Amino acid sequence: MNNPFINRLQQDARAIRGLADQRLKNMNLDQQLSEQLQQPQPTRWPWAVAAAVCLMVLGGVLLQPQLANQSSTLPLNAKVQPAMKLNWELSTGQLEQAINQPLINEQQAIMEDLKTLRKAMLSI
């Protein structure tokens, strides 16, 4: 009773192994993998250059209106502030004051503007 059952299982196992071997030969996986490993990898630097060029063009397109607006707001005869000249022989306190004084003046002007705006708002 067990003999025909065991024999049938062994025959099925042989048939399955035969089918698996045949499929592996058809697929030829070992050869395909070795061919893929031997193929040179594609270089990516042309894509990187193309991406950099696209980013530069995009940046130029986006910045062009802003640069055009900045240049059009200044008249040709506008007075340009001279570059800040510092005497490096000054003491640290005087040097700090020379650097920070224009900022302090600007801050005070902004505060005065805010005060006048507040008075104008309260008068309405």
Side-chain angles (χ1 to χ4, degrees):
M1 224 166 43
N2 287 339
N3 254 347
F5 184 68
I6 292 173
N7 289 339
R8 179 69 181 167
L9 286 176
Q10 289 174 350
Q11 288 175 355
D12 288 345
R14 279 189 226 116
I16 291 173
R17 284 188 192 130
L19 286 173
D21 290 339
Q22 185 181 5
R23 286 186 182 170
L24 284 176
K25 286 179 184 175
N26 289 341
M27 290 175 52
N28 211 0
L29 286 177
D30 291 334
Q31 185 179 2
Q32 288 179 359
L33 288 176
S34 64
E35 287 175 1
Q36 287 178 357
L37 290 175
Q38 290 174 356
Q39 290 178 352
Q41 295 295 325
T43 57
R44 295 192 176 134
W45 68 268
W47 292 106
V49 170
V53 168
C54 289
L55 286 176
M56 288 190 321
V57 168
L58 182 64
V61 167
L62 292 176
L63 289 177
Q64 182 185 11
Q66 293 176 357
L67 295 176
N69 290 342
Q70 288 177 356
S71 63
S72 64
T73 56
L74 294 176
L76 294 176
N77 59 356
K79 294 182 180 179
V80 179
Q81 293 181 349
M84 189 179 353
K85 295 180 181 177
L86 296 175
N87 185 1
W88 295 104
E89 297 172 357
L90 296 174
S91 69
T92 57
Q94 292 173 340
L95 183 63
E96 185 177 344
Q97 183 180 6
I99 292 173
N100 290 334
Q101 192 60 42
L103 298 174
I104 293 172
N105 291 341
E106 186 69 25
Q107 184 181 18
Q108 289 174 352
I110 291 172
M111 289 173 61
E112 291 297 322
D113 289 342
L114 288 174
K115 286 179 184 177
T116 55
L117 283 173
R118 187 182 75 183
K119 288 180 185 176
M121 291 295 290
L122 290 177
S123 68
I124 294 177

Coordinates of all heavy atoms in Angstrom, one line a residue, residues 11-103:
Q11 N 8.2 9.8 -8.2 CA 8.1 10.2 -9.6 C 7.7 11.6 -9.8 O 8.2 12.4 -10.7 CB 7.0 9.3 -10.3 CG 7.5 7.8 -10.5 CD 6.3 7.0 -11.1 OE1 5.2 7.4 -11.2 NE2 6.7 5.7 -11.4
D12 N 6.8 12.1 -9.0 CA 6.4 13.5 -9.0 C 7.5 14.4 -8.7 O 7.7 15.5 -9.3 CB 5.2 13.8 -8.0 CG 3.9 13.1 -8.5 OD1 3.8 12.8 -9.7 OD2 3.0 13.0 -7.7
A13 N 8.3 14.0 -7.7 CA 9.5 14.8 -7.3 C 10.5 14.9 -8.5 O 11.1 16.0 -8.8 CB 10.2 14.3 -6.1
R14 N 10.7 13.8 -9.2 CA 11.6 13.7 -10.3 C 11.1 14.6 -11.4 O 11.8 15.4 -12.1 CB 11.8 12.3 -10.8 CG 12.8 11.5 -10.0 CD 13.1 10.2 -10.7 NE 13.1 9.2 -9.6 CZ 12.3 8.2 -9.5 NH1 11.4 8.0 -10.5 NH2 12.3 7.4 -8.5
A15 N 9.8 14.6 -11.7 CA 9.2 15.4 -12.7 C 9.3 16.9 -12.4 O 9.6 17.7 -13.3 CB 7.7 15.0 -12.9
I16 N 9.1 17.2 -11.1 CA 9.2 18.6 -10.7 C 10.6 19.1 -10.8 O 10.9 20.2 -11.3 CB 8.6 18.8 -9.3 CG1 7.1 18.6 -9.3 CG2 9.0 20.2 -8.7 CD1 6.5 18.6 -7.9
R17 N 11.6 18.3 -10.4 CA 13.0 18.7 -10.6 C 13.4 18.8 -12.0 O 14.1 19.7 -12.4 CB 13.9 17.6 -9.9 CG 13.9 17.7 -8.4 CD 15.0 16.8 -7.8 NE 14.8 16.7 -6.4 CZ 14.7 15.6 -5.7 NH1 14.9 14.4 -6.3 NH2 14.5 15.6 -4.4
G18 N 12.9 17.9 -12.9 CA 13.2 18.0 -14.3 C 12.6 19.3 -14.9 O 13.3 20.0 -15.7
L19 N 11.4 19.6 -14.5 CA 10.7 20.9 -15.0 C 11.5 22.1 -14.5 O 11.7 23.1 -15.3 CB 9.3 21.0 -14.6 CG 8.3 20.1 -15.3 CD1 6.9 20.1 -14.6 CD2 8.2 20.5 -16.7
A20 N 12.0 22.1 -13.2 CA 12.7 23.2 -12.7 C 14.0 23.3 -13.4 O 14.5 24.5 -13.7 CB 12.9 23.0 -11.2
D21 N 14.7 22.2 -13.7 CA 16.0 22.3 -14.4 C 15.8 22.9 -15.8 O 16.6 23.6 -16.3 CB 16.7 20.9 -14.4 CG 17.2 20.5 -13.1 OD1 17.4 21.4 -12.2 OD2 17.4 19.3 -12.9
Q22 N 14.7 22.4 -16.4 CA 14.5 22.8 -17.8 C 14.2 24.3 -17.8 O 14.6 25.1 -18.7 CB 13.3 22.1 -18.4 CG 13.0 22.4 -19.8 CD 11.8 21.6 -20.4 OE1 11.2 20.9 -19.6 NE2 11.5 21.7 -21.6
R23 N 13.4 24.8 -16.9 CA 13.1 26.3 -16.8 C 14.3 27.1 -16.5 O 14.5 28.2 -17.1 CB 12.0 26.5 -15.7 CG 10.7 26.1 -16.2 CD 9.6 26.5 -15.2 NE 8.3 26.0 -15.6 CZ 7.2 26.0 -14.9 NH1 7.3 26.5 -13.6 NH2 6.1 25.6 -15.4
L24 N 15.2 26.6 -15.6 CA 16.4 27.3 -15.4 C 17.3 27.4 -16.6 O 18.0 28.4 -16.9 CB 17.2 26.6 -14.2 CG 16.6 26.9 -12.8 CD1 17.4 26.1 -11.8 CD2 16.7 28.4 -12.5
K25 N 17.4 26.3 -17.4 CA 18.2 26.3 -18.6 C 17.6 27.3 -19.6 O 18.3 28.0 -20.3 CB 18.2 24.9 -19.2 CG 19.1 24.0 -18.5 CD 19.1 22.6 -19.1 CE 19.9 21.6 -18.3 NZ 19.9 20.3 -18.9
N26 N 16.2 27.4 -19.7 CA 15.6 28.3 -20.6 C 15.8 29.7 -20.2 O 16.0 30.6 -21.0 CB 14.1 28.0 -20.7 CG 13.8 26.7 -21.4 OD1 14.6 26.2 -22.1 ND2 12.6 26.2 -21.2
M27 N 15.8 30.0 -18.9 CA 16.0 31.3 -18.4 C 17.4 31.7 -18.5 O 17.7 32.9 -18.7 CB 15.4 31.5 -17.0 CG 13.9 31.4 -16.9 SD 13.3 31.4 -15.2 CE 14.0 32.8 -14.5
N28 N 18.3 30.8 -18.2 CA 19.7 31.0 -18.3 C 20.1 32.2 -17.4 O 20.8 33.1 -17.8 CB 20.2 31.3 -19.8 CG 21.5 30.8 -20.0 OD1 22.2 30.3 -19.1 ND2 22.0 31.0 -21.2
L29 N 19.7 32.1 -16.2 CA 19.9 33.3 -15.3 C 21.4 33.5 -15.0 O 21.8 34.7 -14.9 CB 19.2 33.0 -13.9 CG 17.6 33.1 -14.0 CD1 17.1 32.7 -12.6 CD2 17.2 34.5 -14.3
D30 N 22.1 32.5 -14.8 CA 23.6 32.7 -14.5 C 24.2 33.5 -15.6 O 25.0 34.4 -15.3 CB 24.3 31.4 -14.3 CG 23.8 30.6 -13.1 OD1 23.4 31.4 -12.1 OD2 23.9 29.4 -13.0
Q31 N 24.0 33.1 -16.8 CA 24.6 33.8 -17.9 C 24.1 35.3 -18.0 O 24.9 36.2 -18.3 CB 24.4 33.1 -19.3 CG 25.1 33.7 -20.4 CD 24.8 32.9 -21.7 OE1 24.1 32.0 -21.7 NE2 25.5 33.3 -22.8
Q32 N 22.8 35.5 -17.9 CA 22.3 36.8 -17.9 C 22.8 37.7 -16.8 O 23.2 38.9 -17.1 CB 20.7 36.8 -17.8 CG 20.0 36.3 -19.1 CD 18.5 36.3 -18.9 OE1 18.0 36.6 -17.8 NE2 17.8 35.8 -19.9
L33 N 22.9 37.2 -15.6 CA 23.5 38.0 -14.5 C 25.0 38.3 -14.8 O 25.4 39.4 -14.5 CB 23.3 37.2 -13.2 CG 21.9 37.2 -12.7 CD1 21.9 36.3 -11.4 CD2 21.4 38.5 -12.4
S34 N 25.7 37.3 -15.3 CA 27.1 37.6 -15.5 C 27.3 38.6 -16.6 O 28.2 39.5 -16.6 CB 27.9 36.3 -15.9 OG 27.4 35.8 -17.1
E35 N 26.4 38.6 -17.7 CA 26.5 39.6 -18.7 C 26.2 41.0 -18.2 O 26.8 42.0 -18.6 CB 25.5 39.2 -19.9 CG 26.0 38.0 -20.7 CD 24.9 37.6 -21.7 OE1 23.9 38.2 -21.8 OE2 25.2 36.6 -22.4
Q36 N 25.2 41.0 -17.3 CA 24.8 42.3 -16.8 C 25.9 42.9 -15.9 O 26.1 44.1 -15.9 CB 23.5 42.2 -16.0 CG 22.3 42.1 -16.8 CD 21.0 41.9 -16.0 OE1 21.1 41.9 -14.8 NE2 19.9 41.8 -16.7
L37 N 26.6 42.1 -15.2 CA 27.7 42.5 -14.3 C 28.9 43.0 -15.2 O 29.6 43.9 -14.8 CB 28.1 41.4 -13.4 CG 27.1 41.1 -12.2 CD1 27.6 40.0 -11.4 CD2 26.9 42.4 -11.4
Q38 N 29.1 42.4 -16.3 CA 30.2 42.7 -17.2 C 30.0 44.0 -18.0 O 30.9 44.6 -18.5 CB 30.6 41.5 -18.1 CG 31.2 40.4 -17.3 CD 31.4 39.2 -18.2 OE1 31.0 39.2 -19.4 NE2 32.0 38.1 -17.6
Q39 N 28.7 44.3 -18.2 CA 28.4 45.5 -19.0 C 28.9 46.8 -18.3 O 28.7 46.9 -17.0 CB 26.9 45.6 -19.3 CG 26.4 44.6 -20.3 CD 24.9 44.7 -20.5 OE1 24.2 45.4 -19.8 NE2 24.4 43.9 -21.4
P40 N 29.5 47.7 -19.0 CA 29.9 48.9 -18.3 C 28.6 49.8 -17.9 O 27.6 49.8 -18.5 CB 30.7 49.7 -19.3 CG 30.2 49.2 -20.6 CD 29.8 47.7 -20.4
Q41 N 28.8 50.4 -16.7 CA 27.7 51.2 -16.2 C 27.6 52.5 -17.0 O 28.7 53.0 -17.4 CB 27.9 51.5 -14.7 CG 27.9 50.3 -13.8 CD 26.5 49.7 -13.8 OE1 25.5 50.3 -13.9 NE2 26.5 48.3 -13.7
P42 N 26.4 53.0 -17.3 CA 26.3 54.2 -18.1 C 26.9 55.4 -17.2 O 26.7 55.4 -16.0 CB 24.8 54.4 -18.3 CG 24.2 53.6 -17.2 CD 25.2 52.4 -16.9
T43 N 27.5 56.3 -17.9 CA 28.0 57.5 -17.2 C 26.9 58.5 -17.0 O 26.0 58.6 -17.8 CB 29.1 58.2 -18.0 OG1 28.6 58.5 -19.3 CG2 30.3 57.3 -18.2
R44 N 26.9 59.2 -15.9 CA 25.8 60.1 -15.6 C 26.2 61.5 -15.7 O 25.4 62.4 -15.4 CB 25.3 59.7 -14.1 CG 24.7 58.4 -14.0 CD 24.0 58.2 -12.7 NE 23.4 56.9 -12.8 CZ 23.4 56.0 -11.8 NH1 24.1 56.3 -10.7 NH2 22.8 54.8 -11.9
W45 N 27.4 61.8 -16.0 CA 27.8 63.2 -16.1 C 27.1 64.0 -17.1 O 26.8 65.2 -16.9 CB 29.3 63.4 -16.2 CG 29.9 62.9 -17.5 CD1 30.4 61.7 -17.8 CD2 30.1 63.7 -18.6 NE1 30.9 61.7 -19.1 CE2 30.7 62.9 -19.6 CE3 29.8 65.0 -19.0 CZ2 30.9 63.4 -20.9 CZ3 30.1 65.5 -20.2 CH2 30.6 64.7 -21.2
P46 N 26.7 63.4 -18.3 CA 25.9 64.3 -19.2 C 24.6 64.7 -18.6 O 24.1 65.8 -18.9 CB 25.7 63.3 -20.4 CG 26.8 62.3 -20.4 CD 27.1 62.1 -18.9
W47 N 24.0 63.8 -17.9 CA 22.7 64.2 -17.2 C 22.9 65.3 -16.2 O 22.1 66.2 -16.0 CB 22.0 63.0 -16.6 CG 21.6 62.0 -17.7 CD1 22.2 60.8 -18.0 CD2 20.5 62.1 -18.5 NE1 21.5 60.2 -19.0 CE2 20.4 61.0 -19.4 CE3 19.5 63.1 -18.7 CZ2 19.5 60.8 -20.3 CZ3 18.5 62.9 -19.7 CH2 18.5 61.8 -20.5
A48 N 24.0 65.2 -15.5 CA 24.3 66.2 -14.4 C 24.5 67.6 -15.1 O 24.1 68.6 -14.6 CB 25.5 65.8 -13.6
V49 N 25.2 67.6 -16.2 CA 25.5 68.8 -16.9 C 24.2 69.4 -17.5 O 23.9 70.6 -17.3 CB 26.5 68.6 -18.1 CG1 26.6 69.8 -19.0 CG2 27.9 68.3 -17.5
A50 N 23.3 68.5 -18.0 CA 22.0 69.0 -18.5 C 21.2 69.6 -17.4 O 20.5 70.6 -17.6 CB 21.3 67.8 -19.2
A51 N 21.2 68.9 -16.2 CA 20.4 69.4 -15.1 C 21.0 70.8 -14.6 O 20.2 71.7 -14.3 CB 20.5 68.4 -14.0
A52 N 22.3 70.9 -14.6 CA 22.9 72.2 -14.2 C 22.5 73.3 -15.1 O 22.2 74.4 -14.7 CB 24.4 72.0 -14.1
V53 N 22.5 73.0 -16.4 CA 22.2 74.0 -17.4 C 20.7 74.4 -17.3 O 20.3 75.6 -17.3 CB 22.5 73.5 -18.8 CG1 21.8 74.4 -19.9 CG2 24.0 73.4 -19.1
C54 N 19.8 73.4 -17.1 CA 18.4 73.7 -16.9 C 18.2 74.6 -15.6 O 17.4 75.5 -15.7 CB 17.6 72.4 -16.8 SG 17.5 71.5 -18.3
L55 N 18.9 74.3 -14.6 CA 18.7 75.1 -13.3 C 19.2 76.5 -13.5 O 18.6 77.4 -13.0 CB 19.5 74.4 -12.2 CG 18.8 73.1 -11.6 CD1 19.7 72.5 -10.6 CD2 17.4 73.5 -11.0
M56 N 20.3 76.6 -14.3 CA 20.8 78.0 -14.5 C 19.8 78.8 -15.4 O 19.5 80.0 -15.1 CB 22.2 77.9 -15.2 CG 23.3 77.5 -14.2 SD 25.0 77.7 -14.8 CE 24.9 77.2 -16.5
V57 N 19.2 78.2 -16.4 CA 18.3 78.8 -17.2 C 17.0 79.2 -16.4 O 16.5 80.3 -16.5 CB 17.9 78.0 -18.5 CG1 16.7 78.5 -19.2 CG2 19.1 77.8 -19.4
L58 N 16.6 78.3 -15.6 CA 15.4 78.5 -14.8 C 15.7 79.7 -13.8 O 14.8 80.5 -13.6 CB 15.0 77.2 -14.0 CG 13.8 77.3 -13.2 CD1 12.5 77.6 -14.0 CD2 13.6 76.1 -12.4
G59 N 16.8 79.6 -13.2 CA 17.2 80.7 -12.3 C 17.3 82.1 -13.0 O 16.8 83.1 -12.5
G60 N 17.8 82.1 -14.2 CA 17.9 83.3 -15.0 C 16.5 83.8 -15.3 O 16.2 85.0 -15.3
V61 N 15.6 82.9 -15.7 CA 14.2 83.3 -16.1 C 13.5 83.9 -14.8 O 12.8 84.9 -14.9 CB 13.5 82.1 -16.7 CG1 12.0 82.4 -16.8 CG2 14.0 81.8 -18.0
L62 N 13.7 83.3 -13.7 CA 13.0 83.7 -12.5 C 13.6 85.0 -11.9 O 12.9 85.8 -11.4 CB 13.1 82.6 -11.4 CG 12.2 81.4 -11.7 CD1 12.4 80.3 -10.6 CD2 10.8 81.7 -11.9
L63 N 14.9 85.2 -12.1 CA 15.5 86.4 -11.6 C 15.5 87.6 -12.5 O 15.7 88.7 -12.1 CB 17.0 86.1 -11.2 CG 17.2 85.2 -10.0 CD1 18.7 85.0 -9.8 CD2 16.6 85.8 -8.8
Q64 N 15.2 87.4 -13.8 CA 15.3 88.5 -14.7 C 14.3 89.6 -14.4 O 14.6 90.8 -14.4 CB 15.0 88.0 -16.1 CG 15.1 89.0 -17.2 CD 14.7 88.5 -18.6 OE1 14.2 87.4 -18.7 NE2 14.9 89.3 -19.6
P65 N 13.0 89.3 -14.1 CA 12.1 90.4 -13.7 C 12.5 91.2 -12.5 O 12.4 92.4 -12.4 CB 10.7 89.7 -13.5 CG 10.9 88.4 -14.2 CD 12.3 88.0 -14.1
Q66 N 13.1 90.5 -11.5 CA 13.5 91.2 -10.3 C 14.7 92.1 -10.6 O 14.7 93.2 -10.1 CB 13.9 90.2 -9.2 CG 12.7 89.4 -8.7 CD 13.1 88.3 -7.7 OE1 14.3 88.1 -7.5 NE2 12.1 87.6 -7.2
L67 N 15.6 91.6 -11.4 CA 16.8 92.5 -11.7 C 16.3 93.6 -12.6 O 16.9 94.8 -12.4 CB 17.8 91.6 -12.4 CG 18.5 90.5 -11.6 CD1 19.4 89.7 -12.5 CD2 19.2 91.1 -10.4
A68 N 15.4 93.4 -13.5 CA 14.9 94.5 -14.3 C 14.2 95.6 -13.5 O 14.4 96.8 -13.7 CB 14.0 94.0 -15.4
N69 N 13.4 95.2 -12.5 CA 12.7 96.1 -11.6 C 13.7 96.9 -10.8 O 13.5 98.1 -10.5 CB 11.7 95.4 -10.7 CG 10.5 94.8 -11.5 OD1 10.3 95.3 -12.6 ND2 9.8 93.9 -10.9
Q70 N 14.7 96.3 -10.3 CA 15.7 97.0 -9.5 C 16.4 98.0 -10.3 O 16.7 99.1 -9.8 CB 16.7 96.0 -8.9 CG 16.2 95.1 -7.8 CD 17.2 94.1 -7.3 OE1 18.3 94.0 -7.8 NE2 16.8 93.3 -6.3
S71 N 16.8 97.7 -11.5 CA 17.6 98.7 -12.2 C 16.7 99.8 -12.7 O 17.2 101.0 -12.9 CB 18.2 98.0 -13.4 OG 17.2 97.5 -14.3
S72 N 15.4 99.6 -12.9 CA 14.5 100.6 -13.4 C 14.1 101.6 -12.3 O 13.7 102.7 -12.6 CB 13.3 100.0 -14.1 OG 12.5 99.3 -13.1
T73 N 14.2 101.2 -11.0 CA 13.8 102.1 -10.0 C 14.8 103.2 -9.7 O 14.4 104.3 -9.2 CB 13.6 101.4 -8.7 OG1 14.8 100.7 -8.3 CG2 12.4 100.4 -8.8
L74 N 16.1 103.0 -10.1 CA 17.1 104.0 -9.8 C 17.2 104.9 -11.1 O 17.5 104.4 -12.2 CB 18.4 103.4 -9.5 CG 18.5 102.7 -8.1 CD1 19.8 102.0 -8.0 CD2 18.2 103.6 -7.0
P75 N 17.1 106.2 -10.9 CA 17.4 107.1 -12.1 C 18.9 107.1 -12.4 O 19.7 106.7 -11.6 CB 16.9 108.4 -11.7 CG 16.9 108.4 -10.2 CD 16.7 107.0 -9.8
L76 N 19.2 107.5 -13.6 CA 20.6 107.5 -14.0 C 21.4 108.5 -13.2 O 22.6 108.3 -13.1 CB 20.7 107.7 -15.5 CG 20.1 106.7 -16.4 CD1 20.2 107.1 -17.9 CD2 20.8 105.4 -16.2
N77 N 20.8 109.5 -12.7 CA 21.6 110.5 -12.0 C 21.5 110.4 -10.5 O 21.7 111.3 -9.7 CB 21.2 111.9 -12.4 CG 19.7 112.2 -12.2 OD1 19.0 111.3 -11.8 ND2 19.2 113.4 -12.5
A78 N 21.1 109.2 -10.0 CA 20.9 109.0 -8.6 C 22.3 109.1 -7.9 O 23.3 108.6 -8.4 CB 20.3 107.6 -8.3
K79 N 22.2 109.6 -6.7 CA 23.4 109.7 -5.9 C 23.7 108.4 -5.2 O 22.8 107.8 -4.6 CB 23.3 110.8 -4.8 CG 23.2 112.2 -5.4 CD 23.2 113.2 -4.3 CE 23.1 114.6 -4.9 NZ 23.0 115.6 -3.9
V80 N 24.9 107.9 -5.3 CA 25.3 106.6 -4.7 C 26.1 106.9 -3.5 O 27.0 107.8 -3.5 CB 26.1 105.8 -5.7 CG1 26.5 104.5 -5.1 CG2 25.3 105.5 -7.0
Q81 N 25.7 106.2 -2.4 CA 26.5 106.5 -1.2 C 27.9 106.0 -1.3 O 28.1 104.9 -1.9 CB 25.8 105.7 0.0 CG 24.4 106.3 0.4 CD 23.8 105.5 1.5 OE1 24.3 104.5 1.9 NE2 22.7 106.1 2.1
P82 N 28.8 106.7 -0.8 CA 30.2 106.2 -1.0 C 30.4 105.0 -0.1 O 29.7 104.8 0.9 CB 31.0 107.4 -0.5 CG 30.1 108.2 0.4 CD 28.7 108.0 -0.2
A83 N 31.4 104.2 -0.4 CA 31.7 103.0 0.4 C 32.2 103.5 1.7 O 32.8 104.5 1.9 CB 32.7 102.2 -0.3
M84 N 31.8 102.7 2.7 CA 32.2 103.1 4.1 C 33.7 102.8 4.3 O 34.2 101.7 4.0 CB 31.4 102.2 5.1 CG 31.7 102.6 6.5 SD 30.8 101.7 7.8 CE 29.8 100.6 7.1
K85 N 34.4 103.9 4.6 CA 35.8 103.8 4.8 C 36.1 103.8 6.3 O 35.6 104.6 7.1 CB 36.5 105.0 4.2 CG 36.4 105.0 2.7 CD 37.1 106.2 2.1 CE 36.9 106.3 0.6 NZ 37.5 107.4 0.0
L86 N 36.8 102.8 6.7 CA 37.1 102.6 8.1 C 38.6 102.8 8.4 O 39.4 102.4 7.6 CB 36.7 101.2 8.6 CG 35.2 100.9 8.6 CD1 35.0 99.4 8.9 CD2 34.4 101.8 9.4
N87 N 38.8 103.5 9.5 CA 40.2 103.6 9.9 C 40.5 102.5 10.9 O 40.0 102.5 12.0 CB 40.4 105.0 10.6 CG 41.8 105.3 10.9 OD1 42.7 104.4 10.6 ND2 42.1 106.4 11.6
W88 N 41.3 101.6 10.4 CA 41.6 100.4 11.2 C 42.4 100.7 12.5 O 42.6 99.8 13.3 CB 42.2 99.3 10.4 CG 41.3 98.8 9.3 CD1 41.3 99.2 8.0 CD2 40.1 98.0 9.5 NE1 40.3 98.6 7.3 CE2 39.5 97.9 8.2 CE3 39.5 97.4 10.5 CZ2 38.4 97.1 8.0 CZ3 38.3 96.7 10.3 CH2 37.8 96.5 9.0
E89 N 42.9 101.9 12.6 CA 43.7 102.2 13.7 C 42.9 102.7 14.9 O 43.4 103.0 15.9 CB 44.8 103.3 13.3 CG 45.7 102.8 12.3 CD 46.6 103.9 11.7 OE1 46.5 105.0 12.1 OE2 47.5 103.6 10.9
L90 N 41.6 102.8 14.7 CA 40.7 103.2 15.8 C 40.6 102.2 16.8 O 40.9 101.0 16.6 CB 39.3 103.5 15.2 CG 39.2 104.6 14.2 CD1 37.8 104.7 13.7 CD2 39.5 106.0 14.8
S91 N 40.2 102.6 18.0 CA 40.0 101.6 19.1 C 38.8 100.8 18.7 O 38.0 101.1 17.9 CB 39.9 102.3 20.4 OG 38.6 103.0 20.4
T92 N 38.6 99.7 19.4 CA 37.5 98.8 19.1 C 36.2 99.5 19.4 O 35.2 99.2 18.6 CB 37.6 97.5 20.0 OG1 37.6 97.9 21.4 CG2 38.8 96.7 19.6
G93 N 36.1 100.3 20.4 CA 34.8 101.0 20.7 C 34.5 102.0 19.5 O 33.3 102.1 19.1
Q94 N 35.5 102.7 19.1 CA 35.2 103.7 18.0 C 35.0 102.9 16.7 O 34.1 103.4 15.9 CB 36.5 104.6 17.8 CG 36.7 105.5 19.0 CD 38.0 106.3 18.8 OE1 38.9 105.9 18.1 NE2 38.1 107.4 19.5
L95 N 35.6 101.8 16.5 CA 35.4 101.0 15.3 C 34.0 100.5 15.3 O 33.3 100.5 14.2 CB 36.4 99.9 15.2 CG 36.4 99.0 14.0 CD1 36.7 99.8 12.7 CD2 37.3 97.9 14.1
E96 N 33.5 100.0 16.4 CA 32.2 99.4 16.5 C 31.1 100.5 16.3 O 30.1 100.3 15.6 CB 32.0 98.8 17.9 CG 30.6 98.1 18.0 CD 30.5 97.4 19.4 OE1 31.5 97.2 20.0 OE2 29.4 97.1 19.7
Q97 N 31.4 101.7 16.8 CA 30.5 102.8 16.7 C 30.4 103.3 15.2 O 29.4 103.6 14.6 CB 30.9 104.0 17.6 CG 29.9 105.2 17.5 CD 30.3 106.3 18.4 OE1 31.4 106.3 19.0 NE2 29.5 107.3 18.4
A98 N 31.6 103.3 14.5 CA 31.6 103.7 13.1 C 30.9 102.7 12.2 O 30.3 103.1 11.3 CB 33.1 103.7 12.7
I99 N 30.9 101.4 12.6 CA 30.2 100.4 11.8 C 28.7 100.5 12.2 O 27.8 100.4 11.3 CB 30.7 99.0 12.1 CG1 32.1 98.9 11.6 CG2 29.8 97.9 11.5 CD1 32.8 97.6 11.9
N100 N 28.3 100.6 13.4 CA 26.9 100.5 13.8 C 26.2 101.9 13.7 O 24.9 101.9 13.7 CB 26.8 100.0 15.3 CG 27.2 98.6 15.4 OD1 27.1 97.8 14.4 ND2 27.7 98.2 16.6
Q101 N 26.8 103.0 13.6 CA 26.2 104.3 13.6 C 25.2 104.4 12.4 O 24.1 104.9 12.6 CB 27.2 105.4 13.5 CG 26.6 106.8 13.8 CD 25.9 106.9 15.2 OE1 26.4 106.4 16.2 NE2 24.7 107.5 15.2
P102 N 25.5 104.0 11.2 CA 24.5 104.1 10.1 C 23.3 103.2 10.4 O 22.2 103.6 10.1 CB 25.3 103.6 8.9 CG 26.7 103.8 9.2 CD 26.8 103.6 10.6
L103 N 23.5 102.1 11.0 CA 22.4 101.2 11.4 C 21.5 101.9 12.4 O 20.3 101.8 12.4 CB 22.9 99.8 11.8 CG 23.7 99.0 10.8 CD1 24.2 97.8 11.4 CD2 22.8 98.7 9.6

